[in-house]
Every structure is written in C-alpha cells, then in structure tokens.
Amino acid sequence: MNEFNTLGYHPGNTPIHYINATAKLIFFLLLSISAMMTYDTRYLIIVSICSLILFKVSQLKWYQVSFVVKFIAFFTVINVIAVYLFDPEYGVRLYGVRTELWSGVGRFTLTTQELFYLFNLLLKYVCTIPLTLVFLLTTNPSHFAASLNRIGVNYKISYAVALTLRYIPDIQETYLEISQAQQARGYEMSKKVSIIKRLKGVSQIVMPLIFSSIERIDTVSTAMELRQFGKHKKRTWYVSEPYQFKDYMTIVIVICFVAVAIALFFINGSRFYNPWH
C-alpha cells in the first residue's frame, strides 16, 4: 500500500508548501468566495487558469487526487444536467437574448445563452476544486489549526478541524488494510468482479471500519482529557509561524483579485457578464 495514495497532507519543497498557513487560508477563502459570487466569464477563466497553475506548481500527482476529482466531476455533470432540465430557458431570461441552436423536444430547447450560463457553472468548479485540493494537500493540519485560531476561530474548533484532517488519511489507510485482509480471505473486491459484488464487499468493511474509528476517537479523547485540554481560554501553538514577505505578497495578490471582481460587478451592473449587450 502506497501511503501517498491517501487524501491528506503531503510534505513537499514547493513554494506553496512554505507559504504561511494563515496567508494560504486567506488566499483560498477570498479567491474561492469571489469566484463563487461572480458570473463574469473573463474573471472565471483567469482564476481557473491560475488554479490549474497552482496545482501544477504544488507538484501534486494525479493519482493522489484522481478519485476525488472523478467523484466531484460525476456530481458536477449531474448538477449541470439537472439545472438544464429544471429550467432550459434560464439563460435566455438572464441575458435577454435568444439564439436557438436546436429546437429540441417540447420545452427542452438548446440555446447559446443557456450553454453560456452552464459553461459559467462549470468554470466555478474548475476555479475552486484545484484550489481546495492544493490547500488541503499542501497545508500541515497543525499549521492549519494555528492559522484558524490566528484569524479568530476558537482553538477548540481549530484543533477539531486539525484532527479531522489528520484522521481522513487514517480512515483511508484502515479501509485499505481491512480490504486487503478481506481479499486475502477470498473476498474479491477488485475491478475483476461486478459492481454489485464490489459494493457487497465494501458493505462488509463498514462495520470493522466503524469500530476501529470509535476506538481511535476514544483513545484521542481520553488522552486530551488527561492533558486537561480546553481548561484555559487561550493556548499557544508550537507550529505558529511569523509572516514573511511571500506571505504578505500572497495576501496582496488575492486582495487584487477580489478588487477586480468587485470592479467587474459595477462595470457589468450585476454579477453576470453579458456578451450580447
């Protein structure tokens, strides 16, 4: 089992790994929020390109994130199809122009405006998914907890988030260990068997995984109680790092992005960019 197949923090020597976790969190939140709020295609394309560049710079491997990306892509496609099925003419009403590409059947016509609106929805996913993966896989959970506490989040919540991020790879590793033990006993769960048999095999892993998780949670909570965690209102962080020039530049860059998004809102007169007007 390759430990780097798990979805969690992966140490590295890239510039992104060395950015202060607080600055990285501010960058991720502000850029993601600005991308989700606006429907300006030009802005979304630029942010999408930047997100993909950051993913490349972080030197993350495709096999590390392939399952998550495929899983999100599947539901993204379902979401786009559902948006079209519920209201095929929403883009027409939104942009005030109708350019029919296909007459379709009944109310299910295909217009340039609806395709343009759906394209913007897809761009939002392209903007945020690489950013999320880069942030989660290049940020040490302890640094992340310290960054949350530094921006005002209660340290108990910050510590809980850090434990969750650390626990995700542990659950994956435990699942793989149980799966391999089941296969060693003759329960085939590879791609060689049908999806039904694979689902049945997964269901047999759920109960051992739950009991293993409960045991770990009990161990961690007992250790924290013995160390009187939560007794004081504040705490210090061993991994807390001071800001450096690169961290300030990261914050300045994301503020510039947000300023552009706000400026486009006033230029367009709304959140939407209308190329037909």
Side-chain angles (χ1 to χ4, degrees), residues 218-236:
D218 182 65
T219 302
V220 173
S221 60
T222 301
M224 293 173 67
E225 288 179 2
L226 290 174
R227 290 165 176 78
Q228 296 185 341
F229 180 83
K231 179 180 179 180
H232 302 287
K233 294 183 178 180
K234 296 183 179 180
R235 65 161 293 171
T236 57

Side-chain angles (χ1 to χ4, degrees), residues 114-164:
E114 183 68 17
L115 285 178
F116 186 70
Y117 172 70
L118 296 177
F119 176 67
N120 285 327
L121 287 181
L122 287 174
L123 280 178
K124 288 179 178 291
Y125 286 97
V126 178
C127 289
T128 55
I129 292 174
L131 284 176
T132 304
L133 293 174
V134 169
F135 177 74
L136 291 177
L137 273 66
T138 63
T139 306
N140 187 300
S142 298
H143 293 179
F144 183 38
S147 68
L148 285 176
N149 185 233
R150 191 167 185 175
I151 63 175
V153 179
N154 186 282
Y155 76 87
K156 297 178 184 178
I157 298 176
S158 303
Y159 204 81
V161 172
L163 286 177
T164 302

Side-chain angles (χ1 to χ4, degrees), residues 4-10 64-65 68 133 137 165 168-169 172:
F4 293 103
N5 284 333
T6 57
L7 183 65
Y9 170 63
H10 297 288
Q64 295 173 327
V65 298
V68 175
L133 293 174
L137 273 66
L165 293 177
I168 292 175
Q172 292 176 304

Side-chain angles (χ1 to χ4, degrees), residues 7 9 17 24 36 61 81 83 98 110 121 129 140 147 156 161 176-177 182 190 202 229 250-251 253 268:
L7 183 65
Y9 170 63
H17 282 83
K24 203 184 302 183
M36 294 305 295
K61 305 301 181 183
I81 294 174
V83 169
R98 193 175 197 279
L110 188 63
L121 287 181
I129 292 174
N140 187 300
S147 68
K156 297 178 184 178
V161 172
L176 292 175
E177 290 173 355
Q182 294 281 52
S190 65
V202 171
F229 180 83
T250 300
I251 297 175
I253 290 172
N268 297 329

